[in-house]
Amino acid sequence: MKNFLDSVMAVLREDDVVTPTPSMGALHHATENAHDPVAIPSRGHSAALGPTLRRIFGERDPTQCGSMHLLGLESLQARLGARWATVAERVHQLAEKLLEQKLGPGDAWFRHGHETYVVVFAHLGPDQARLICAKLLEELQKLLLGDVDTDSIIVHTAVQELGSEMLFAPAKLKDMLDAAMAQQRHGLVDAGGAQAEPGAAAGSHPALSGWAGPLEVKYRPAWDSRQQVLSIFIARCCRARRGRMPAWGYECQDDPADPHQILQTDMAIMRHAVDVALELYDNRFRFFLSLPINFETLAVVARRREMVALLQTIPAHMRAFITYHLTGVPAGVPAGRLAEMVSTLRPFGRTIMVVVDIHGNDLPAVAASGARIASLMLPPGSSAERLRPDLLRFGAAAAKLRLHISLESVEDVEMEKLCEEAGVSFLAGGLIGGWVDVPENVLRLSRDELVKPR
């Protein structure tokens, strides 16, 4: 470890020095490129890397001030095969973006060789930090490959010095998850053998089942500004909560981030909404139904198969009246990955819209994926005055790519006017109509009728 830390500290003393990498072959060679030169770039193009590392490494024994880990991309390189050479730079861009998202302000990272990152946590112990690193690699595999091989995800953790070398111990994500599950099962049973509440486990989301109402599906109308009709009804789930505002969408789950619960929520909404639509269709009602599908639902092959099996049960005559809005898409997702999901949904509906961030740069990927609509879901209380420059810029970018725009949270006439100026095609919100229990028939509605006092 001493030689390795000495080389890092030498780089920190000289702003732009390129330092040769020392040998690290004790418990495990962390990377085949360990002998390549390593340049230490600034973290996220910030000048704060040097002071941060100096603070972390400044103690007598740096491994006691947090923990140090090596993240290798060799498993991704192996699975991508010949494609690695063409996508390597994009993989590194995604990896560095995830590092910036996952690490705290006091932590640091830098590239080490061609396929490895050194990650230094200022305060977290080895176990917590190792799991964060492993989950980061898992997310990277999901984004690029669509599935995860937990056995191939390995994080190397600095454990001790041996002479002039640093010892790195490997740990597989599969083993970490197995250990965590065993610990959780053990923690759910107290010393007397009594079963504890699942929500009481450390770090878990409190269960809603004991204090929230049943899952309900509601519908919100969207106005088609080009055709001047109320024709689309957006489906979303909610749960009443005692003494609080209702929970909406994935907040209805015990754990909003749990992929399996996300899948079950998507499927519950779809079953209910399609059953209601079929009944209304038989009664000569005509409208378009917009159903949510989360990125996580389609990100892994097993969950995707389960969703596709449900999609295949939708009668063919109903598919022309169904659209899908793909939610939870991570920023910077590759166009090919997005196209894979869009092509999965296309046979089962009329069109696909992708929910994006107004401040993001994902419109080219949306256009290349084959989706036709970029959807914005603004937080309640968004002001037209503050939103103006961003929405006009977003509208111009979408127009160049021949994408339509859908926008939720149109609460007043000022926001509607801004949407008209920005070329928004589909509007939803308090001005358009509230949440209802059952969709309604298509209604022709001019702009004058829409904005007139009610």
Side-chain angles (χ1 to χ4, degrees), residues 104-257:
D107 305 327
W109 62 266
F110 55 86
R111 285 271 290 274
H112 173 75
H114 295 307
E115 294 94 22
T116 308
Y117 291 86
V118 176
V119 183
V120 185
F121 291 85
H123 303 293
L124 290 183
D127 292 339
Q128 292 173 292
R130 188 187 297 121
L131 190 55
I132 289 175
C133 292
K135 296 299 285 183
L136 186 151
L137 292 175
E138 179 188 39
E139 191 167 338
L140 196 59
Q141 280 199 12
K142 281 184 185 178
L143 286 171
L144 294 164
L145 301 171
D147 58 5
V148 177
D149 178 7
T150 56
D151 208 42
S152 72
I153 294 177
I154 300 175
V155 177
H156 300 81
T157 302
V159 291
Q160 67 181 68
E161 282 187 55
L162 184 62
S164 63
E165 294 185 335
M166 174 183 287
L167 300 186
F168 281 85
K172 292 181 180 180
L173 175 58
K174 182 178 185 298
D175 296 339
M176 295 183 223
L177 295 176
D178 290 346
M181 288 297 294
Q183 185 177 4
Q184 185 180 27
R185 284 194 298 268
H186 178 74
L188 290 179
V189 181
D190 62 21
Q195 189 74 17
E197 286 295 326
S204 65
H205 189 85
L208 290 173
S209 54
W211 57 280
L215 192 74
E216 300 179 80
V217 178
K218 302 288 186 180
Y219 304 89
R220 164 184 267 182
W223 182 59
D224 184 337
S225 63
R226 299 168 304 157
Q227 303 296 326
Q228 303 274 287
V229 292
L230 284 177
S231 56
I232 301 174
F233 280 81
I234 301 166
R236 193 162 297 150
C237 64
C238 72
R239 295 181 75 169
R241 299 186 291 185
R242 292 194 300 269
R244 297 180 62 184
M245 297 292 289
W248 286 92
Y250 302 109
E251 291 298 323
C252 293
Q253 301 169 181
D254 288 342
D255 182 356

Side-chain angles (χ1 to χ4, degrees), residues 277-332:
L278 283 169
E279 184 176 347
L280 292 173
Y281 183 92
D282 290 342
N283 287 293
R284 301 185 181 277
F285 275 68
R286 295 294 181 266
F287 58 89
F288 296 101
L289 186 63
S290 184
L291 300 173
I293 304 285
N294 196 281
F295 182 89
E296 287 293 340
T297 294
L298 303 178
V300 176
V301 171
R303 293 196 294 271
R304 188 185 309 179
R305 285 175 180 161
E306 201 168 342
M307 174 55 73
V308 169
L310 178 58
L311 289 168
Q312 289 172 337
T313 66
I314 300 175
H317 67 274
M318 279 301 302
R319 295 176 185 178
F321 297 94
I322 293 178
T323 69
Y324 301 97
H325 50 276
L326 189 60
T327 69
V329 178

